[in-house]
Amino acid sequence: MIRRLIILIAVLAPLSVFSQGEWNQKFEQLGTDLPTPNTYRTASGAPGKDYWQQRADYKIAVTLKDETQSIEGEETITYYNYSPDDLKYLWVQLDQNIRDQNSEAVQIDSDGLNRVSQMKKELSGKQLQALGRDFDFDGGFKITSVTDSEGKDLPNLINGTMMRIDLPEPLVPQGEVSFNIKWKYNVQDRMNMRGRSGYEYFPEDENYLYTIAQFYPRMAVYDNVEGWQNKQFLGNGEFTLEFGDFEVDLTVPADFVVAATGSLQNETDVLTMKQMDRMKKARKSFEKPFFIITEEEAKANESSRSKESKTWKFKAENVRDFAFAASRKFIWDAQAVKIGDKTPMAMSFYPKEGNPLWELESTKAVVNTLKTYSKYTIDYPYPVAISVHSASIGMEYPMICFNWGRPDADGKYTDAKKWRTIMVIIHEVGHNFFPMIINSDERQWTWMDEGLNSFVESVTERECYPDMPVRRGPAKTIVKYMKSDKEMMRPIMTNSEQIIQFGNNAYGKPAAGLDILRQTVMGPELFDYAFKEYATRWAFKHPTPADFFRTMEDASAIDLDWFWKGWFYTTDNVDISVDKVTWFQMGIPEPEELENKAKRSRKIKKSGGETESMTTQINDEPKTFSVKDTDKKYYGEFMNVIDDKKIMMNHENKQFYEVKFSNQGGLVMPVIIKWTYEDGTEETEKLPAEVWRMNEQEFTKVFIKDKKVVGVQIDPLEETADVNPENNFFPRSLYESEFDEVKKEG
């Protein structure tokens, strides 16, 4: 049947899809643009038979001094060399050194967070302080000793946010080495100096709320892709870390409550009998959170000023990092979650300033996140997932994250504030999966954690909170960015420190791209399987972009190189135009002429559609075409012939529409077409992106319909991030009518 229709349609105007325009290799394979597969990382995107990664175990003891807002600590790191290489030296990350007044980050910009330093006609005191770095703050690590396991000094050199430790003899493959570091540093006022960790001060009750991370020297990653990942920490590119086990002792004032990565090992030393009893009940509470510390108890604790200290002991297995929060102000609630064969605890710690919003929404959001992310990736493997509230922050660490979302002083909050708070909690808790488990290189590729996480965040929001306004994920959420000034864009495949619009580039565009893949290109079934396969393959390992690209294709049998090239490697946008729609009907010969096959002249029904119609309208009367007997040359060596008369009769009442499409934005994309018929009915069909293969600028295609078409629209549900809806309509007047309807509804 397909061959017969091709013969029939061949009498129409030639399909310009077969003509050549400018060739930009949009359908060429990525090929050598991706690293060559090897025994470490296969062509399928899976870890190879010789895949290896290093390991670092930590024993840490730190003291948080509330009176001086400072930290002192010491640690023993045991580093395991599973690489095939001898290592003469080790690299350790000193991320707190970004706070040193002489750091590169300060020299690059005004506040160490990659913001442009420039003058304005008016500056607030806070802006002026940031501009001049007028903080009177002695930041950065003060390393007091680096010694081997026997206490002997190890030679070392500090270069910005990195420290090289020179080993007395090379660390051989399968070998291990232990060494000790002692340090101290001042914790910064995060509300003035910003940053991913620090403290928030509450002048009303003279208390501090500490959200502490990057507080210890941490091993850099050594792998088969980068060797040592020892790029300087400049503020945007986050952290690349090895997995290991942690034993951490946190000494704080005795009236402080601590939340941290891992499981609390000494409940009887730091919790009251009432709190321990409540925790037992919380471990069986699956329907709603159970209070470990109530708001009334937290308020009473705010006025305490203990001179004593307590040490909270935590243990965490197979994690890449450790963080904690500590304050007198914490309310604490917890709820059990059933995930596969495990029952992790969802917990929230927050001051009274977070209520009533936080007691209503935080732990509920943690539960929803663990359930949904586990469905689309892997079952959550850790014993706890904690959401901590502090103003103006959203940052993630294994099993714990710090989140903003504060009601007004009177406890009131808008729906917008509620939704935004829930979004932040879902996003930050979701980071447990990307990159805390699927452990990508954040220093190099922000999109591999932020973009993938933002995508699953959007799925969680749509499934668990259908009334929530859409922020990221669906294609339409990235349109404004995609049609903005390209001078202010960078491709997604750009190093983290070189991105201009961080939120759009590293979060929004990758998330929208994955949504397009799921909804429009691959379909949910194939996408979900491939995405879950990627998460399963690379859980507790170090994936690269190539591993993700290859796995998505390997597990779905869909060639996506055209999509990766366009969406990830360029700043092109989607702007597909319906340029022309021409209506045809088949001319019908007189009955006696059908009987006389020798006659070749045909009497065609009178039609007024002979004149070329305007390109902005569908012609009022159909153009006609005739059908002739098929020339024997079309049969080649085949003996059988088709019945021309029967084919003609089968199509005598059909409507033929020749549609011309053009690619105005540069990105190729599937073409989704909504047909509106004269009787008011509608039909939608989709052409795959491969329709652009022969001509990346334009193509023409003939569609055969049973009914008369009065309107054509492409991308009717805004699934492809098309930046110009005006040229999606034919006739163009349909856009004006729809726009008027939208204005009326608004």
Side-chain angles (χ1 to χ4, degrees):
M1 183 61 183
I2 293 175
R3 185 172 67 86
R4 294 179 181 179
L5 289 181
I6 290 174
I7 294 171
L8 175 65
I9 293 169
V11 301
L12 299 177
L15 303 186
S16 62
V17 69
F18 296 110
S19 66
Q20 281 293 335
E22 181 184 355
W23 185 51
N24 292 313
Q25 304 183 54
K26 297 184 186 297
F27 284 93
E28 290 299 294
Q29 298 296 285
L30 282 173
T32 54
D33 291 338
L34 299 181
T36 303
N38 50 48
T39 58
Y40 306 129
R41 297 169 188 272
T42 69
S44 70
K49 65 184 180 65
D50 295 323
Y51 175 83
W52 56 267
Q53 65 187 41
Q54 311 291 64
R55 178 185 177 88
D57 292 341
Y58 297 82
K59 292 185 178 181
I60 304 172
V62 299
T63 299
L64 172 61
K65 297 185 176 182
D66 187 45
E67 65 277 9
T68 58
Q69 297 83 57
S70 62
I71 280 178
E72 290 187 5
E74 58 183 279
E75 67 183 347
T76 297
I77 302 176
T78 302
Y79 184 73
Y80 302 84
N81 181 17
Y82 295 129
S83 80
D85 308 321
D86 291 348
L87 302 178
K88 293 174 58 178
Y89 48 78
L90 308 177
W91 282 102
V92 176
Q93 301 184 59
L94 303 179
D95 304 296
Q96 284 297 327
N97 284 1
I98 197 174
R99 296 290 161 204
D100 189 287
Q101 286 290 344
N102 297 315
S103 76
E104 287 187 2
V106 174
Q107 298 169 22
I108 291 169
D109 55 70
S110 62
D111 64 359
L113 290 173
N114 204 31
R115 289 173 174 79
V116 176
S117 174
Q118 60 186 177
M119 292 301 298
K120 299 179 180 179
K121 289 184 178 180
E122 291 185 341
L123 292 171
S124 69
K126 188 172 183 179
Q127 289 173 323
L128 183 59
Q129 182 187 44
L131 188 66
R133 300 293 295 177
D134 183 25
F135 296 116
D136 189 25
F137 178 74
D138 183 16
F141 279 122
K142 307 294 186 290
I143 303 296
T144 56
S145 71
V146 180
T147 59
D148 64 16
S149 58
E150 297 177 355
K152 297 178 182 178
D153 288 342
L154 283 174
N156 62 86
L157 180 142
I158 295 176
N159 175 20
T161 58
M162 288 288 169
M163 177 170 66
R164 190 189 70 229
I165 299 177
D166 298 325
L167 300 176
E169 57 185 39
L171 179 61
V172 299
Q174 304 304 312
E176 64 182 73
V177 62
S178 293
F179 57 96
N180 311 301
I181 303 177
K182 293 183 179 180
W183 74 93
K184 59 183 177 181
Y185 75 92
N186 295 316
V187 181
Q188 92 275 9
D189 180 349
R190 191 178 50 76
M191 305 308 294
N192 284 324
M193 297 185 65
R194 306 181 65 86
R196 290 179 168 84
S197 71
Y199 67 78
E200 178 185 356
Y201 179 63
F202 293 80
E204 295 83 0
D205 50 64
E206 299 181 329
N207 274 297
Y208 293 87
L209 192 161
Y210 296 89
T211 48
I212 303 298
Q214 295 87 249
F215 66 94
Y216 63 100
R218 308 181 293 177
M219 287 302 306
V221 165
Y222 183 81
D223 65 17
N224 73 298
V225 178
E226 293 280 340
W228 283 108
Q229 172 49 290
N230 53 9
K231 290 179 173 64
Q232 293 290 324
F233 177 44
L234 300 178
N236 275 344
E238 292 181 5
F239 313 110
T240 308
L241 300 160
E242 301 286 8
F243 287 102
D245 293 343
F246 285 73
E247 295 179 22
V248 182
D249 293 352
L250 302 172
T251 300
V252 298
D255 46 9
F256 268 42
V257 176
V258 177
T261 298
S263 299
L264 180 61
Q265 301 297 296
N266 61 332
E267 284 188 2
T268 56
D269 296 332
V270 296
L271 301 183
T272 66
M273 292 296 294
K274 182 183 290 186
Q275 290 165 353
M276 287 190 290
D277 182 61
R278 290 170 176 173
M279 181 57 73
K280 289 179 182 178
K281 293 177 180 178
R283 291 190 177 105
K284 298 179 181 179
S285 176
F286 291 90
E287 300 301 320
K288 62 180 181 179
F290 201 95
F291 282 101
I292 313 303
I293 298 175
T294 67
E295 180 170 343
E296 291 72 23
E297 292 166 342
K299 286 179 180 178
N301 199 43
E302 286 180 342
S303 60
S304 173
R305 291 295 183 274
S306 175
K307 300 295 184 181
E308 304 298 320
S309 64
K310 283 184 180 179
T311 298
W312 296 59
K313 295 179 179 291
F314 290 90
K315 185 176 181 179
E317 296 179 345
N318 207 19
V319 295
R320 56 167 250 166
D321 201 1
F322 192 99
F324 70 95
S327 182
R328 295 183 182 89
K329 294 176 67 65
F330 280 144
I331 304 163
W332 178 6
D333 67 48
Q335 178 180 336
V337 192
K338 188 64 177 174
I339 303 290
D341 60 355
K342 292 182 171 60
T343 308
M345 295 299 295
M347 298 182 182
S348 294
F349 292 75
Y350 45 97
K352 65 180 186 300
E353 286 78 5
N355 267 344
L357 177 57
W358 270 67
E359 69 177 34
L360 294 173
E361 301 294 349
S362 178
T363 299
K364 178 182 175 182
V366 177
V367 171
N368 287 333
T369 303
L370 295 185
K371 288 181 176 179
T372 309
Y373 276 68
S374 295
K375 179 169 66 173
Y376 289 102
T377 60
I378 68 166
D379 285 352
Y380 185 70
Y382 294 131
V384 297
I386 299 170
S387 170
V388 178
H389 172 58
S390 188
S392 304
I393 190 171
M395 193 58 202
E396 71 280 356
Y397 301 92
M399 304 187 223
I400 189 170
C401 55
F402 311 143
N403 304 315
W404 78 277
R406 184 164 296 172
D408 296 334
D410 59 3
K412 294 181 180 179
Y413 55 90
T414 63
D415 282 346
K417 173 63 70 70
K418 179 186 77 170
W419 292 129
R420 180 68 172 156
T421 300
I422 294 170
M423 289 175 186
V424 172
I425 295 170
I426 293 172
H427 182 88
E428 304 306 340
V429 174
H431 271 305
N432 276 289
F433 297 83
F434 305 98
M436 302 305 158
I437 297 170
I438 298 98
N439 187 20
S440 57
D441 181 352
E442 295 179 274
R443 189 63 51 88
Q444 179 76 12
W445 306 115
T446 297
W447 71 266
M448 288 197 73
D449 67 290
E450 298 294 359
L452 271 60
N453 182 48
S454 293
F455 165 70
V456 189
E457 172 203 340
S458 73
V459 174
T460 303
E461 290 164 0
R462 281 176 277 178
E463 290 191 2
C464 301
Y465 301 92
D467 297 330
M468 179 185 290
V470 175
R471 178 179 63 145
R472 292 190 185 114
K476 63 182 179 181
T477 62
I478 202 64
V479 168
K480 183 177 179 180
Y481 168 71
M482 295 292 282
K483 67 180 181 181
S484 64
D485 183 1
K486 289 191 177 182
E487 292 295 319
M488 297 301 294
M489 294 183 184
R490 293 290 184 271
I492 292 174
M493 290 292 290
T494 299
N495 178 276
S496 301
E497 297 297 349
Q498 298 167 12
I499 297 170
I500 298 176
Q501 298 189 54
F502 209 74
N504 285 317
N505 182 283
Y507 295 65
K509 187 179 176 183
L514 294 180
D515 199 71
I516 291 170
L517 283 180
R518 185 174 191 259
Q519 302 299 334
T520 304
V521 177
M522 302 173 70
E525 183 177 7
L526 282 174
F527 178 92
D528 291 349
Y529 181 88
F531 194 74
K532 195 173 184 71
E533 179 66 16
Y534 166 72
T536 302
R537 285 178 175 182
W538 291 99
F540 303 104
K541 295 182 177 67
H542 300 294
T544 67
D547 300 320
F548 177 69
F549 297 154
R550 286 168 167 156
T551 295
M552 292 301 291
E553 295 188 22
D554 180 69
S556 67
I558 298 180
D559 182 358
L560 297 171
D561 280 18
W562 62 270
F563 188 86
W564 309 132
K565 288 186 73 172
W567 197 266
F568 282 77
Y569 285 85
T570 77
T571 58
D572 291 345
N573 59 35
V574 179
D575 181 7
I576 299 173
S577 172
V578 190
D579 292 341
K580 186 177 179 182
V581 179
T582 307
W583 176 27
F584 289 85
Q585 283 184 341
M586 183 171 62
I588 305 299
E590 297 294 338
E592 62 270 17
E593 292 183 355
L594 288 173
E595 296 173 4
N596 185 359
K597 294 185 179 181
K599 292 185 179 181
R600 293 304 180 195
S601 62
R602 301 201 182 261
K603 182 178 179 182
I604 306 299
K605 282 185 176 180
K606 188 175 181 180
S607 170
E610 298 301 325
T611 304
E612 181 77 10
S613 64
M614 294 180 61
T615 58
T616 57
Q617 299 291 328
I618 302 175
N619 41 309
D620 292 332
E621 294 290 334
K623 292 186 175 185
T624 56
F625 67 93
S626 60
V627 179
K628 62 182 180 180
D629 288 343
T630 304
D631 194 297
K632 288 185 172 56
K633 68 181 181 181
Y634 286 110
Y635 298 120
E637 297 179 352
F638 291 107
M639 300 299 294
N640 190 29
V641 296
I642 63 174
D643 187 338
D644 292 290
K645 177 180 175 181
K646 182 177 180 181
I647 290 176
M648 184 176 66
M649 298 304 292
N650 286 343
H651 291 84
E652 65 176 309
N653 295 317
K654 301 289 186 180
Q655 314 302 317
F656 294 78
Y657 290 91
E658 182 188 79
V659 186
K660 179 182 177 183
F661 303 91
S662 64
N663 181 355
Q664 304 290 325
L667 276 185
V668 295
M669 192 62 68
V671 181
I672 306 167
I673 310 167
K674 184 178 80 171
W675 304 90
T676 301
Y677 298 109
E678 190 176 41
D679 63 4
T681 60
E682 296 177 344
E683 177 192 16
T684 300
E685 63 181 297
K686 182 173 71 175
L687 306 178
E690 283 76 10
V691 293
W692 301 99
R693 283 181 306 161
M694 297 299 179
N695 188 326
E696 299 166 356
Q697 283 74 50
E698 62 180 44
F699 74 91
T700 300
K701 184 173 176 61
V702 174
F703 301 85
I704 304 173
K705 301 296 180 183
D706 293 323
K707 296 183 284 189
K708 181 180 177 181
V709 173
V710 295
V712 176
Q713 179 188 359
I714 58 176
D715 196 23
L717 299 179
E718 303 176 283
E719 296 177 55
T720 65
D722 194 303
V723 302
N724 183 13
E726 267 187 80
N727 61 21
N728 290 0
F729 290 81
F730 204 94
R732 294 287 188 259
S733 56
L734 290 177
Y735 172 76
E736 300 298 333
S737 333
E738 184 170 274
F739 183 69
D740 289 340
E741 288 299 318
V742 171
K743 285 199 298 186
K744 288 177 185 177
E745 292 173 6

